[in-house]
Amino acid sequence: MIANDNRIYLASGSPRRREILEQLGLNLERIHADIDETVRPGEDAVAYTERLAREKAEAGWQVVASCGLPERPLLAADTTVTQDGEIFGKPQDAADARRMLLAFSGRSHQAITSVAVRRGDKLLVRTSVTDVYFKKLSDAEIQRYIDSGEPFDKAGGYGIQGRAGVFIERIAGSYTGVMGLPVYETALLLAEFGFDLP
C-alpha cells in the first residue's frame, strides 16, 4: 500500500478523524498540539480553517522534533461551519446549540474542513467546502437533539454521522468532509508524501 511504512502522526483528538484514517489502513500515533483557535478580525471561514490546520500541524511537528520522535508525516485538520459570513464553532451550552440549529433550520450552510500534512520542511494544505441543506426543524426535534448531548463537541452543533443525519435533506460536496476529514483531499495530500491509498 505505502512505500516502506503506513504510520503517520495525528495532531487531533477527534475520534471521527482517527476512525476515517484507520479505515484507510493507516497506523496512527496521536500527538497533542494545542493552539489558540480564536477567529481573527476580518478572517473568513476558509482562511480560518486553513490557518488552524496549518498551525496545528506546525505545533504538532514541534512536539515530534522536541521529543526526538522518528520522522514521518503528521496530519492535522480543522472543521468549521459557516452561514452568511458567520463562523459557528462548538456550542458553549444548550442555548448556543439551539441558536445554531435554528439558524440552519430550513436553510443551507457550509461545512469547511482544511487538512494539513507536515514532514520536515514540507507543509501542504487542502480544503473541502460542502453545502449542507437542513430540513425545517421543529422545536421538539431541536430539544431532543440537544438532550442527546451530541451537539456539544462538534462544530456547528451537529454531527452528520449521528442523530442529526435525519435533519439533512442533501449535501453538495464531501460527506467525510462534513464529518471532519475529507477522504479525497486527504488522499491527495498523503500521495504528495509517498502514500498510495487505498
Side-chain angles (χ1 to χ4, degrees), residues 83-155:
Q83 182 188 65
D84 300 333
E86 181 179 355
I87 293 173
F88 294 79
K90 296 174 183 176
Q92 298 175 2
D93 53 28
D96 200 27
R98 177 179 297 279
R99 178 187 68 83
M100 293 179 186
L101 294 167
L102 282 170
F104 303 152
S105 176
R107 297 190 58 205
S108 66
H109 60 271
Q110 290 73 47
I112 301 170
T113 299
S114 294
V115 185
V117 178
R118 169 82 189 261
R119 182 172 188 171
D121 293 331
K122 184 176 181 180
L123 189 154
L124 300 175
V125 180
R126 284 187 176 264
T127 298
S128 165
V129 180
T130 299
D131 293 314
V132 181
Y133 297 81
F134 264 40
K135 72 173 187 173
K136 186 74 174 171
L137 304 179
S138 70
D139 287 341
E141 286 173 316
I142 291 173
Q143 190 59 54
R144 283 195 302 271
Y145 188 59
I146 291 170
D147 289 346
S148 77
E150 192 173 282
F152 299 106
D153 68 338
K154 297 170 180 68

Side-chain angles (χ1 to χ4, degrees), residues 159-177:
I160 192 173
Q161 73 284 359
R163 297 181 185 197
V166 301
F167 300 160
I168 297 168
E169 292 181 351
R170 62 190 170 94
I171 67 169
S174 169
Y175 177 84
T176 54

Side-chain angles (χ1 to χ4, degrees), residues 32-109:
H32 192 71
D34 275 338
I35 62 165
D36 179 2
E37 299 192 14
T38 305
V39 181
R40 293 177 178 168
E43 192 170 42
D44 68 28
V46 170
Y48 173 68
T49 58
E50 289 182 349
R51 175 175 63 82
L52 263 55
R54 188 176 294 108
E55 288 181 3
K56 289 176 183 178
E58 295 282 9
W61 193 256
Q62 288 178 11
V63 173
V64 170
S66 66
C67 293
L69 298 173
E71 186 176 300
R72 59 178 66 109
L74 179 141
L75 185 145
D78 187 75
T79 299
T80 197
V81 172
T82 186
Q83 182 188 65
D84 300 333
E86 181 179 355
I87 293 173
F88 294 79
K90 296 174 183 176
Q92 298 175 2
D93 53 28
D96 200 27
R98 177 179 297 279
R99 178 187 68 83
M100 293 179 186
L101 294 167
L102 282 170
F104 303 152
S105 176
R107 297 190 58 205
S108 66
H109 60 271

